[in-house]
Amino acid sequence: MRLVHLDLKGAAPRVSYLEQVFPLLSQLGANGILIEYEDMFPFKEELEVLRSPYAYSEEDIERIQQLAELHKLEVIPLVQTFGHVEFILKHEKYQHLREVERFPNSFNPHVPDTLALLKSILSQVMEKHRRSTWIHIGADEVFHLGEGMDSKNWMSYNKGDTGTIYLKHTKEVVGFITTQYWGLRVLMWDDMLRKISVLGCRSQGCRSRGCRPWDAGLRDADLGMQDLGCRSQGCRSWDAGLGDAGLGMQVSGMQVSGMREMPQASSSCWPLYDHYSVLCELLPVSIPSLAICLQTLVNGGFTEETKRKVLDALGFQGMQLEQSMCEGRGAFPGAEIYHMVEQVNGHLKESILKTLEEESGIKGWFSPYHRKRLFGNPRNMESFGSKVLKLHEDWEGFIHDLHTQLERVYFPDTVEEWMEENINPYLDQLRDLVRDYQ
């Protein structure tokens, strides 16, 4: 299985865009989609508070699965069941289920309501994914586990540790799934398991075939568990607006030697690091990196032939991995956004700050002091006016086009946030100057 992980906690694309992307993913070698819905799932009844205002409808969920089936992509829903549950625990209704009262990151596994809530969430998700044969329960990065008073009391009374708490809760979740949904197989991330001794895992009965830890790095046959492959990301930090094709290649290349033995692998891009962070990468921008990773997985290495297949699929003439540059216009869904974000990253900030900071007429005759008091010499102002007005006009026209392209792929909240984070901090300075000049 070669899965593309769609993390929808931020910048969830419209279904109309997925309709364009799924054929490309299949062409590039993916045969499955791991979908982490978070608040984009159409929760109902007592769970309705978890829904985003822009959540997919039930019809959207069915359409996504139909599109996936059409393009031979297996759908695996991902439901976080321990950590990364800010989208749940941020709500006052569920605050009492936090491991540590002031942090919304992780569940308190000792409160009966936690498992009851998870059963409701899992049931609603699986009700809409009856064709799925796998489910992913997340269970990674359970921050602050063991720091809550209930956990401290439990460890003291039972002479246990955080590893025991983790395994106990995870087993309860897996037990519910395997009992309620016969034949449904469970995946989970393995980072928390790496901190637990082999003896600790054995003592909790972790030889079960019901659940497979999935990440790069865990390989211990004694545990009865299987390392399920390579994960690669095109984004390094929250301020990386452009997917790093070079980085993606390095991650894939380092692990490709063992891939032929691994039954599953995935490629991911993070639109958010968690539910509270700023947007860090848009799906259209990450597609070249994603294409490289998928084709590397398919072919067992990044050869010239692999490179040619990627270029043909994306409509590029060439690529420079070291510079993370693709040559040509591209012909993949969202290529316009890819190039426009490239322009923003490469020129917007630089061109505006250079004008504002280096133009002598502005520094000497149109400083913040002059602008505040509406005082200036027209002769000196005209020395820079035409240049500033032209720069402003050009960027406003460009941003209008970018806004239109983004709206075709994303919902209004994503467009607004991306603009506020990446455009307005610089363009607003130019707008303010032009307003004062006029």
Short mmCIF file of all heavy atoms in Angstrom, two decimals, residues 13-41:
data_model
loop_
_atom_site.label_atom_id
_atom_site.label_comp_id
_atom_site.label_asym_id
_atom_site.label_seq_id
_atom_site.Cartn_x
_atom_site.Cartn_y
_atom_site.Cartn_z
N PRO A 13 -9.17 21.00 1.37
CA PRO A 13 -9.59 21.40 0.03
C PRO A 13 -11.05 21.07 -0.23
O PRO A 13 -11.64 20.19 0.39
CB PRO A 13 -8.69 20.56 -0.88
CG PRO A 13 -8.33 19.37 -0.07
CD PRO A 13 -8.30 19.82 1.36
N ARG A 14 -11.64 21.80 -1.15
CA ARG A 14 -12.98 21.49 -1.59
C ARG A 14 -12.99 20.13 -2.29
O ARG A 14 -11.97 19.71 -2.88
CB ARG A 14 -13.48 22.56 -2.56
CG ARG A 14 -13.62 23.96 -1.95
CD ARG A 14 -14.08 24.96 -3.00
NE ARG A 14 -14.10 26.32 -2.50
CZ ARG A 14 -15.16 26.88 -1.90
NH1 ARG A 14 -16.27 26.19 -1.74
NH2 ARG A 14 -15.10 28.13 -1.48
N VAL A 15 -14.12 19.45 -2.26
CA VAL A 15 -14.24 18.15 -2.91
C VAL A 15 -14.00 18.29 -4.42
O VAL A 15 -13.44 17.39 -5.06
CB VAL A 15 -15.62 17.52 -2.64
CG1 VAL A 15 -15.78 16.20 -3.39
CG2 VAL A 15 -15.80 17.29 -1.13
N SER A 16 -14.38 19.41 -4.99
CA SER A 16 -14.16 19.63 -6.43
C SER A 16 -12.67 19.61 -6.78
O SER A 16 -12.30 19.22 -7.89
CB SER A 16 -14.78 20.97 -6.86
OG SER A 16 -14.25 22.04 -6.09
N TYR A 17 -11.81 20.02 -5.82
CA TYR A 17 -10.37 19.94 -6.08
C TYR A 17 -9.88 18.51 -5.94
O TYR A 17 -9.04 18.05 -6.73
CB TYR A 17 -9.62 20.86 -5.12
CG TYR A 17 -8.12 20.88 -5.37
CD1 TYR A 17 -7.59 21.39 -6.54
CD2 TYR A 17 -7.24 20.36 -4.43
CE1 TYR A 17 -6.23 21.40 -6.79
CE2 TYR A 17 -5.87 20.36 -4.66
CZ TYR A 17 -5.36 20.88 -5.84
OH TYR A 17 -4.02 20.87 -6.09
N LEU A 18 -10.38 17.78 -4.94
CA LEU A 18 -9.99 16.37 -4.79
C LEU A 18 -10.37 15.58 -6.04
O LEU A 18 -9.68 14.64 -6.43
CB LEU A 18 -10.66 15.77 -3.56
CG LEU A 18 -10.26 16.38 -2.21
CD1 LEU A 18 -11.02 15.70 -1.08
CD2 LEU A 18 -8.76 16.27 -1.98
N GLU A 19 -11.46 15.99 -6.68
CA GLU A 19 -11.89 15.34 -7.91
C GLU A 19 -10.82 15.45 -8.99
O GLU A 19 -10.65 14.54 -9.82
CB GLU A 19 -13.20 15.98 -8.39
CG GLU A 19 -13.89 15.25 -9.51
CD GLU A 19 -15.28 15.81 -9.79
OE1 GLU A 19 -15.77 16.65 -8.99
OE2 GLU A 19 -15.88 15.40 -10.79
N GLN A 20 -10.07 16.54 -8.98
CA GLN A 20 -8.98 16.72 -9.94
C GLN A 20 -7.70 16.03 -9.48
O GLN A 20 -6.91 15.56 -10.31
CB GLN A 20 -8.69 18.21 -10.11
CG GLN A 20 -9.86 19.05 -10.58
CD GLN A 20 -9.52 20.53 -10.55
OE1 GLN A 20 -8.56 20.98 -11.19
NE2 GLN A 20 -10.27 21.31 -9.79
N VAL A 21 -7.49 15.98 -8.17
CA VAL A 21 -6.22 15.48 -7.63
C VAL A 21 -6.15 13.96 -7.59
O VAL A 21 -5.10 13.36 -7.85
CB VAL A 21 -5.98 16.05 -6.20
CG1 VAL A 21 -4.82 15.36 -5.52
CG2 VAL A 21 -5.72 17.55 -6.29
N PHE A 22 -7.26 13.29 -7.27
CA PHE A 22 -7.23 11.84 -7.10
C PHE A 22 -6.70 11.11 -8.35
O PHE A 22 -5.92 10.16 -8.22
CB PHE A 22 -8.61 11.32 -6.72
CG PHE A 22 -8.93 11.48 -5.25
CD1 PHE A 22 -8.13 12.26 -4.42
CD2 PHE A 22 -10.03 10.86 -4.68
CE1 PHE A 22 -8.41 12.42 -3.07
CE2 PHE A 22 -10.33 11.00 -3.33
CZ PHE A 22 -9.52 11.78 -2.53
N PRO A 23 -7.11 11.50 -9.57
CA PRO A 23 -6.54 10.82 -10.74
C PRO A 23 -5.02 10.97 -10.82
O PRO A 23 -4.32 10.03 -11.21
CB PRO A 23 -7.22 11.52 -11.92
CG PRO A 23 -8.45 12.14 -11.37
CD PRO A 23 -8.13 12.50 -9.95
N LEU A 24 -4.52 12.14 -10.44
CA LEU A 24 -3.07 12.38 -10.47
C LEU A 24 -2.36 11.49 -9.45
O LEU A 24 -1.32 10.90 -9.74
CB LEU A 24 -2.77 13.85 -10.19
CG LEU A 24 -1.29 14.22 -10.10
CD1 LEU A 24 -0.57 13.95 -11.42
CD2 LEU A 24 -1.12 15.68 -9.69
N LEU A 25 -2.92 11.39 -8.23
CA LEU A 25 -2.31 10.56 -7.19
C LEU A 25 -2.24 9.11 -7.65
O LEU A 25 -1.22 8.42 -7.44
CB LEU A 25 -3.11 10.66 -5.89
CG LEU A 25 -3.20 12.05 -5.25
CD1 LEU A 25 -3.95 11.98 -3.93
CD2 LEU A 25 -1.81 12.66 -5.04
N SER A 26 -3.30 8.65 -8.28
CA SER A 26 -3.31 7.28 -8.79
C SER A 26 -2.26 7.10 -9.88
O SER A 26 -1.52 6.11 -9.90
CB SER A 26 -4.71 6.95 -9.32
OG SER A 26 -4.77 5.63 -9.79
N GLN A 27 -2.17 8.08 -10.77
CA GLN A 27 -1.17 8.03 -11.84
C GLN A 27 0.24 8.00 -11.29
O GLN A 27 1.12 7.33 -11.85
CB GLN A 27 -1.34 9.26 -12.75
CG GLN A 27 -0.34 9.35 -13.89
CD GLN A 27 -0.44 10.67 -14.64
OE1 GLN A 27 -1.37 11.47 -14.42
NE2 GLN A 27 0.52 10.93 -15.53
N LEU A 28 0.46 8.70 -10.18
CA LEU A 28 1.80 8.78 -9.58
C LEU A 28 2.16 7.55 -8.76
O LEU A 28 3.30 7.41 -8.32
CB LEU A 28 1.90 10.03 -8.70
CG LEU A 28 1.92 11.36 -9.44
CD1 LEU A 28 1.74 12.52 -8.47
CD2 LEU A 28 3.23 11.53 -10.22
N GLY A 29 1.19 6.66 -8.53
CA GLY A 29 1.52 5.41 -7.85
C GLY A 29 0.84 5.19 -6.52
O GLY A 29 1.04 4.14 -5.90
N ALA A 30 0.05 6.14 -6.05
CA ALA A 30 -0.68 5.92 -4.80
C ALA A 30 -1.81 4.93 -5.04
O ALA A 30 -2.40 4.89 -6.13
CB ALA A 30 -1.25 7.23 -4.27
N ASN A 31 -2.11 4.11 -4.04
CA ASN A 31 -3.27 3.24 -4.14
C ASN A 31 -4.17 3.36 -2.91
O ASN A 31 -5.01 2.51 -2.66
CB ASN A 31 -2.86 1.78 -4.39
CG ASN A 31 -1.89 1.27 -3.34
OD1 ASN A 31 -1.78 1.82 -2.25
ND2 ASN A 31 -1.18 0.20 -3.67
N GLY A 32 -3.95 4.42 -2.12
CA GLY A 32 -4.81 4.64 -0.96
C GLY A 32 -4.70 6.06 -0.45
O GLY A 32 -3.72 6.77 -0.73
N ILE A 33 -5.74 6.48 0.29
CA ILE A 33 -5.78 7.81 0.90
C ILE A 33 -6.05 7.64 2.39
O ILE A 33 -7.04 7.01 2.78
CB ILE A 33 -6.91 8.68 0.28
CG1 ILE A 33 -6.79 8.74 -1.24
CG2 ILE A 33 -6.87 10.09 0.88
CD1 ILE A 33 -5.61 9.50 -1.74
N LEU A 34 -5.17 8.17 3.21
CA LEU A 34 -5.35 8.20 4.66
C LEU A 34 -5.94 9.57 5.00
O LEU A 34 -5.28 10.59 4.85
CB LEU A 34 -4.01 8.00 5.36
CG LEU A 34 -4.01 7.97 6.88
CD1 LEU A 34 -4.69 6.72 7.41
CD2 LEU A 34 -2.57 8.05 7.41
N ILE A 35 -7.20 9.61 5.44
CA ILE A 35 -7.89 10.88 5.63
C ILE A 35 -8.08 11.17 7.12
O ILE A 35 -8.81 10.47 7.81
CB ILE A 35 -9.27 10.89 4.93
CG1 ILE A 35 -9.12 10.53 3.46
CG2 ILE A 35 -9.91 12.26 5.08
CD1 ILE A 35 -10.43 10.55 2.69
N GLU A 36 -7.40 12.22 7.58
CA GLU A 36 -7.54 12.69 8.96
C GLU A 36 -8.51 13.88 8.94
O GLU A 36 -8.12 15.01 8.69
CB GLU A 36 -6.18 13.10 9.52
CG GLU A 36 -6.19 13.44 10.98
CD GLU A 36 -4.79 13.59 11.56
OE1 GLU A 36 -3.79 13.38 10.82
OE2 GLU A 36 -4.69 13.91 12.76
N TYR A 37 -9.78 13.61 9.24
CA TYR A 37 -10.82 14.62 9.07
C TYR A 37 -10.76 15.73 10.11
O TYR A 37 -10.99 16.89 9.80
CB TYR A 37 -12.20 13.97 9.15
CG TYR A 37 -12.57 13.12 7.98
CD1 TYR A 37 -12.55 11.73 8.06
CD2 TYR A 37 -12.94 13.69 6.77
CE1 TYR A 37 -12.91 10.94 6.98
CE2 TYR A 37 -13.30 12.91 5.68
CZ TYR A 37 -13.28 11.52 5.79
OH TYR A 37 -13.63 10.75 4.73
N GLU A 38 -10.52 15.38 11.39
CA GLU A 38 -10.67 16.33 12.50
C GLU A 38 -12.05 16.99 12.41
O GLU A 38 -13.06 16.31 12.30
CB GLU A 38 -9.53 17.35 12.50
CG GLU A 38 -8.21 16.77 12.98
CD GLU A 38 -7.49 17.66 13.97
OE1 GLU A 38 -7.89 18.81 14.19
OE2 GLU A 38 -6.49 17.17 14.54
N ASP A 39 -12.10 18.34 12.40
CA ASP A 39 -13.39 19.02 12.45
C ASP A 39 -14.05 19.16 11.08
O ASP A 39 -15.09 19.80 10.95
CB ASP A 39 -13.25 20.40 13.10
CG ASP A 39 -12.27 21.30 12.38
OD1 ASP A 39 -11.64 20.85 11.41
OD2 ASP A 39 -12.12 22.46 12.80
N MET A 40 -13.48 18.55 10.05
CA MET A 40 -14.10 18.58 8.73
C MET A 40 -15.10 17.45 8.54
O MET A 40 -15.78 17.39 7.52
CB MET A 40 -13.03 18.51 7.63
CG MET A 40 -12.23 19.78 7.47
SD MET A 40 -13.25 21.23 7.09
CE MET A 40 -13.86 20.79 5.45
N PHE A 41 -15.21 16.56 9.52
CA PHE A 41 -16.20 15.48 9.41
C PHE A 41 -17.57 16.01 9.85
O PHE A 41 -17.66 16.80 10.80
CB PHE A 41 -15.78 14.30 10.30
CG PHE A 41 -16.65 13.08 10.11
CD1 PHE A 41 -16.43 12.23 9.05
CD2 PHE A 41 -17.70 12.82 10.98
CE1 PHE A 41 -17.24 11.11 8.85
CE2 PHE A 41 -18.52 11.72 10.79
CZ PHE A 41 -18.29 10.86 9.73
#
